[in-house]
Structure formats: C-alpha cells, structure tokens
Amino acid sequence: MRLKSLMLNRSLYLLFSLFWLHGCGLFTFSGVSLPGDIQTFSIQEFYTETSDGPTDLPKKLTEALESKILRLTLLTKQDKDGDIQYEGVIKSFSYRTTFTTKSEDKDNPKEIQRLTITVEVSCVNGSDETSSFNKKQFSASADILSTENQNEKENQLIEEIFRQLVDDICNKSIDNW
C-alpha cells in the first residue's frame, strides 16, 4: 500500500512538473522549443506573382500559417514587428500532366494531374539569427486522376498542399528540425 502511494505521488509530481514547464513556455508537447524572450510573431499577408489559381490563395496561405503557429506555440500574433516575422510570395501555381504505372493494367498507365504550388518565404527571428532565412523557396504538390473533376477537387488539393507548405515553413523557422 505504501509503495502504491509513493508511486502515485511521484507520478503526480512528474505530471504537474511537465504542465508547469509547458505553461512557462520552456517545454511544449509538439516538439517546438523557443527561447523565453520570443513572445510574439507577425505575418505580412502573402501576395502572388502568378495570375493562375484562385484570387484568395494568398489570404488562405497566410491564415493557414497563422493557425499552425498559434496551435504549435504559445506565441501571440501581432500585426507587425513580432519577435518572429514572416513575409512571402506565391511564385507559381501550376498543373502538369504525369502518368502512373501503378494500375492493374500496366499497358494503360493512368493520367494524373499534379498541382504544384511554390512559395518564397522570408523569416526574421530577432532572437536567433540562425533560424532566420531570406527568400527560401518551398514547394509542394498534390495529385488527382485526370478523370476527376479538377474544379471540384481544387480546394481539397490546395488545402493538402498548404498543410505541407506550412509544415515545411514551421519546421524551418520554429521547430528547428
């Protein structure tokens, strides 16, 4: 009985310690570790240099990055001059036809439409210059079969690509992976 009580006390102590460290910003369960002097971030809305794609593409990408940072960290969003600052441009939005041989009929490969989005991002981290980068390009793609309706699937493809892009941007800027 005494051993059980001792183990319970130690387990509770460990659990409360982890929550305390998490609350102080010294430890996160997502793997993100930021210095204590970084409290805020700001994102200038992305803009586009391509005429292809939906007109709300820059706004959606900006919101996706903001949402991911708020979910991953305890940082507060500022309109400008955050401790970590992001800005970027959508460089390309293009479909390309590719083929796959991964089908039951190897003599008739399936035609695939591949949507690729490339962005160029700059990140300034005032506390850690090694985490800063200037005009780094990130690119991601998603595929649909050519038999599927491209207009109906485009929003789903864009969301999938944005998840990949935002993960890559966060990994490069705050996850230090």
Coordinates of all heavy atoms in Angstrom, one line a residue, residues 53 92-96 112-117 140-144 150 153-158 161:
G53 N -4.6 30.4 -60.5 CA -5.1 30.0 -59.2 C -6.2 30.9 -58.7 O -6.4 32.0 -59.2
S92 N 4.5 30.3 -57.9 CA 3.8 29.6 -59.0 C 2.7 28.7 -58.5 O 2.6 28.3 -57.4 CB 4.9 28.7 -59.7 OG 5.2 27.6 -58.9
F93 N 1.8 28.5 -59.4 CA 0.6 27.7 -59.2 C 0.3 27.0 -60.6 O -0.1 27.7 -61.5 CB -0.6 28.6 -58.9 CG -1.9 27.8 -58.7 CD1 -2.3 27.5 -57.4 CD2 -2.7 27.5 -59.7 CE1 -3.5 26.8 -57.2 CE2 -3.9 26.8 -59.5 CZ -4.3 26.5 -58.2
S94 N 0.7 25.7 -60.7 CA 0.6 25.1 -62.0 C 0.2 23.6 -61.9 O 0.5 22.9 -61.0 CB 2.0 25.2 -62.7 OG 2.9 24.5 -62.0
Y95 N -0.6 23.3 -62.9 CA -0.9 21.9 -63.2 C 0.0 21.3 -64.2 O 0.3 22.0 -65.2 CB -2.4 21.8 -63.7 CG -3.4 21.9 -62.6 CD1 -4.0 23.1 -62.3 CD2 -3.8 20.8 -61.8 CE1 -5.0 23.3 -61.4 CE2 -4.8 21.0 -60.8 CZ -5.4 22.2 -60.6 OH -6.3 22.3 -59.6
R96 N 0.3 20.0 -64.0 CA 1.2 19.3 -65.0 C 0.6 17.9 -65.1 O 0.2 17.3 -64.1 CB 2.6 19.3 -64.5 CG 3.6 18.9 -65.6 CD 5.0 18.9 -65.1 NE 5.1 17.7 -64.2 CZ 6.1 17.4 -63.5 NH1 7.1 18.2 -63.4 NH2 6.1 16.3 -62.7
I112 N -2.5 11.5 -64.6 CA -2.7 12.2 -63.4 C -2.4 13.7 -63.6 O -1.4 14.1 -64.3 CB -1.7 11.7 -62.3 CG1 -2.1 10.3 -61.9 CG2 -1.6 12.6 -61.1 CD1 -1.2 9.6 -60.9
Q113 N -3.2 14.6 -63.0 CA -3.0 16.0 -62.9 C -2.3 16.3 -61.6 O -2.8 16.0 -60.6 CB -4.3 16.8 -63.1 CG -4.9 16.6 -64.4 CD -4.1 17.2 -65.5 OE1 -3.5 18.3 -65.5 NE2 -4.0 16.4 -66.6
R114 N -1.1 16.9 -61.7 CA -0.3 17.3 -60.5 C -0.4 18.8 -60.3 O 0.1 19.5 -61.2 CB 1.1 16.8 -60.6 CG 2.0 17.2 -59.4 CD 3.2 16.5 -59.3 NE 2.9 15.1 -59.0 CZ 3.7 14.1 -59.3 NH1 4.9 14.3 -59.9 NH2 3.4 12.9 -58.9
L115 N -0.9 19.2 -59.2 CA -0.9 20.7 -58.9 C 0.3 20.9 -58.0 O 0.5 20.3 -57.0 CB -2.2 21.1 -58.1 CG -2.2 22.5 -57.6 CD1 -2.1 23.5 -58.7 CD2 -3.5 22.7 -56.8
T116 N 1.1 21.9 -58.4 CA 2.3 22.3 -57.6 C 2.2 23.8 -57.3 O 1.9 24.6 -58.2 CB 3.6 22.0 -58.4 OG1 3.6 20.6 -58.8 CG2 4.8 22.3 -57.6
I117 N 2.4 24.1 -56.0 CA 2.5 25.5 -55.6 C 3.8 25.7 -55.0 O 4.3 24.9 -54.2 CB 1.4 25.8 -54.6 CG1 0.0 25.5 -55.2 CG2 1.5 27.2 -54.1 CD1 -1.2 25.7 -54.2
A140 N 5.3 22.3 -52.9 CA 4.6 21.1 -52.6 C 3.6 20.8 -53.7 O 3.2 21.7 -54.4 CB 3.8 21.2 -51.2
S141 N 3.2 19.5 -53.8 CA 2.3 19.0 -54.9 C 1.2 18.1 -54.3 O 1.4 17.5 -53.3 CB 3.1 18.3 -55.9 OG 4.1 19.1 -56.5
A142 N 0.2 18.0 -55.1 CA -0.9 17.0 -54.8 C -1.5 16.6 -56.2 O -1.5 17.3 -57.1 CB -2.0 17.6 -53.9
D143 N -1.9 15.3 -56.2 CA -2.3 14.7 -57.5 C -3.8 14.4 -57.4 O -4.4 14.0 -56.4 CB -1.6 13.4 -57.7 CG -0.1 13.6 -57.9 OD1 0.3 14.8 -58.2 OD2 0.7 12.6 -57.7
I144 N -4.4 14.4 -58.7 CA -5.8 13.9 -58.9 C -5.7 13.1 -60.2 O -4.9 13.4 -61.1 CB -6.9 15.0 -58.9 CG1 -6.6 16.0 -60.0 CG2 -7.0 15.6 -57.6 CD1 -7.8 16.9 -60.3
Q150 N -11.5 18.6 -62.0 CA -10.4 19.4 -61.4 C -11.0 20.6 -60.6 O -10.5 20.9 -59.5 CB -9.5 20.0 -62.5 CG -8.4 20.8 -62.1 CD -7.5 21.2 -63.3 OE1 -7.3 20.4 -64.2 NE2 -7.1 22.4 -63.3
K153 N -12.3 19.4 -57.2 CA -11.2 18.9 -56.3 C -10.1 20.0 -55.9 O -9.3 19.7 -55.0 CB -10.5 17.7 -56.9 CG -11.4 16.5 -57.1 CD -11.5 15.8 -55.8 CE -12.2 14.4 -56.0 NZ -12.1 13.6 -54.8
E154 N -10.1 21.1 -56.6 CA -9.1 22.1 -56.5 C -8.9 22.6 -55.0 O -7.8 22.6 -54.5 CB -9.2 23.2 -57.4 CG -8.0 24.1 -57.5 CD -8.1 25.2 -58.6 OE1 -8.8 26.2 -58.4 OE2 -7.5 24.9 -59.6
N155 N -10.0 22.9 -54.4 CA -9.9 23.4 -53.0 C -9.3 22.3 -52.1 O -8.5 22.7 -51.2 CB -11.3 23.8 -52.5 CG -11.7 25.2 -53.0 OD1 -10.8 26.0 -53.3 ND2 -13.0 25.4 -53.0
Q156 N -9.6 21.1 -52.3 CA -9.1 20.0 -51.5 C -7.6 19.9 -51.7 O -6.8 19.7 -50.8 CB -9.8 18.7 -51.8 CG -9.3 17.5 -51.0 CD -10.1 16.2 -51.5 OE1 -11.1 16.3 -52.1 NE2 -9.5 15.1 -51.1
L157 N -7.2 20.0 -53.0 CA -5.7 19.9 -53.4 C -5.0 21.0 -52.7 O -3.9 20.9 -52.2 CB -5.6 19.9 -54.9 CG -6.1 18.7 -55.7 CD1 -5.9 19.0 -57.2 CD2 -5.4 17.5 -55.3
I158 N -5.5 22.2 -52.8 CA -4.9 23.4 -52.2 C -4.7 23.3 -50.7 O -3.6 23.6 -50.2 CB -5.7 24.7 -52.6 CG1 -5.6 25.0 -54.1 CG2 -5.2 25.9 -51.7 CD1 -6.5 26.1 -54.6
I161 N -1.9 20.8 -50.1 CA -0.6 21.5 -50.4 C -0.2 22.5 -49.3 O 0.9 22.5 -48.9 CB -0.6 22.1 -51.8 CG1 -0.7 21.0 -52.9 CG2 0.6 23.0 -52.0 CD1 -1.0 21.5 -54.2

